[in-house]
Amino acid sequence: MPQSVRKHRETQRARRLPRLPGPFTLAVAAAVAAHFCLALYAGHLNGRALWCDEILRVWAQQMSLRDLLRCEHIRQFCTQSPMAYFVQRPFVSAFGREAGGIAASAAFGAALLAVAACVARRRLGPTAGWLALLLGGTQPLLLYYSSELALYIIWAAASGGAFAFVSEAMEDPGRRRGFLFNLGAALCVFGMVSFHFSGVFVWMALAAAWAVALAPPAFPGMWRGWARWALVMAPPMALAAPVYAKAQAVQSHLGSREIDWALLPAAMRDALWYLSDNLHVLAGGDPARVGLALLLAGFGIYAWAGTGRARRGRLAWLTAALLAVALFRMYTRLRGTGPPVISYHLYAWAPVIVAQSAAAAWLFSPRRRGWVRVAGAVALACLVSSNAFSLYVVARAPGRSHPYKAIGAAVADLGENRVVVSPNQYVTRFLGTYYSVPRGGIVTYPCYWEEGEEERIGGMRRIWGLVPDAVAFISHRTLWNEFDKAGVYAPTVRSFEYPVCQRIGFAFLGYTSRFVPGEESFIAYATRRDLEIRAASTGAPVSLPVPPFALALQRDANAAASPLLVGETFVFDVFAPAAGSHILSVDIFAYGSKRILVSVPPAPTMVLDLPSGSGLSFQVGVPNPVWKPGVPPPEYLLADSLGFVLDLKLGRIEIPFQADKPGWRRVTIRASQAGPMLLVGHRAVARGG
């Protein structure tokens, strides 16, 4: 058999054999699997408590597309488009709302890691691909968002895919591409635009960068390149624009609907500050800023690695990745507001990892001198080791902003039916609703957060005047100062802080304001023993309502808020610091009853007439969150309330009792006819006091 025929048959036989994946492909698959498992552990399997935004995502998974588009909270306060919620739906259907949402984030985070590593290998060579896999795999912020039940990482993965497709198209803009390439690029661009409200500005920057690569002088296939540009970039924007335009009309976090061009200089300064403040976190956040140095150096190295038109395209590609967020930041600033959070920059993750791998590969190139490679190895070791430590901290963290599970367990240790006072109405959706307070506890709040410090201080005084053994949940130092100003007696404080090693790890990450509540999250309360000691020192008796009872907020016609207790029977424990005659004074209303039955053992039951007090019209329940303070007309309150309005005549009854010695006495109050009662105040005094 001729040698040429033999070689031809061997070649055909080799082509028929299955091609085994190479080492890099196997490494990418292993890194993807490890990142997915670690993110699922950090977000769900380790028992981490969700925070408020994550619980909102769980709640939204119960809604249809129509309901999501009409949801007032999502339309006014969310930075993500409702379309992003539906990407989570298959995972939620398979694993449940909480585990499924975190599994979706973990899967897209792993996909983002794979995309960054493959782009680095394709553009810069095998060494850069391996280094991108190392740098991306140890990025603690990537694990943080991959383990969060949120939509940021989904948007980041779609944006990473869009940047990857555009990078491939820009390298050889006149080359023919298949249908699947164009379809994949269009889908990623659609996700980039529609999954986050800043995606439109990223689209503008990426479209401009691609146009720079297609700009004259002419080249073979130029019109084919422009046709692909229009086919990939235009349809996603056309589909997402109506939803985006509608959302911008109501977005509260974007400020006013009008642009104030007089703020342009301040907006430009603010955008530069945002980049300088957050870019190092995206690059790794290590203490020595090695990640940021690699990113900035890789910016030029990556562009210089190209030739001719490709060099121009690479420079425009990286510029779009780093500066697109500045456009959105300036836009929100011109509208008067806009929170400067790192999550708005996550779309750039894949280009950032590629740029860092370019700089690292340059340091390890055989062309470099020995001391350069040694210095590069030391710097890379510092970056990877600090990131690995922060990675461990993220995986082990018990919560995000507040450890609601630990707080609930601490309240459960205090006994049954404890009243917990949260700083504002938003927290009650989570602490007390999603994470219910164990053993029959209830959660309330002094007023709306927007009503200001004075109302919060007054609300706290009124709540503790009604329930002296209530538990305060304090989320930061500002609220502690207000709590102190309210003069609430709560001598016992229990803090919830991360261990020292975890705080150090988050400090390495460089983003401590959101990650670590530290000592700012704690509860404060008074026990019965504390109340006894205080009564003995002041000589004034203490009256304490005994659960079970319901606690509600009521607002009068002037929108002033104060708490009240609701129940069919009220039981009070009254501590008398000395023997003698005492009086328990109670402001109460009983439905359908004009007489009150009072029992103070061992004395016989007393029957007291409920006097007709002054008429008081007030609202019981929780007003709608769209209610704005400073608008007092009752019609507005009635139209936007979730409660009901009562026109009641409260009466004050005075219950005398005798204390033979210092100690607790129990007083039971019930109406002569069955029915609920409302109690708005109580006070125990010594007779003649």
Side-chain angles (χ1 to χ4, degrees), residues 61 65 68 81-93 100-101 103-105 107-108 150-151 153-155 157-158 187 190-192 194-195:
Q61 287 301 335
L65 174 60
L68 280 170
S81 164
M83 295 300 298
Y85 286 93
F86 288 87
V87 179
Q88 293 179 331
R89 289 292 166 96
F91 295 89
V92 170
S93 300
S105 297
F108 280 93
L151 310 174
I153 195 64
I154 300 176
W155 175 58
L187 289 176
F190 176 76
M192 179 185 72
S194 62
F195 290 171

Side-chain angles (χ1 to χ4, degrees), residues 106-133:
F108 280 93
L112 176 61
L113 174 61
V115 167
C118 291
V119 171
R121 178 183 174 85
R122 188 166 180 81
R123 298 277 80 82
L124 299 165
T127 302
W130 285 101
L131 289 171
L133 200 61

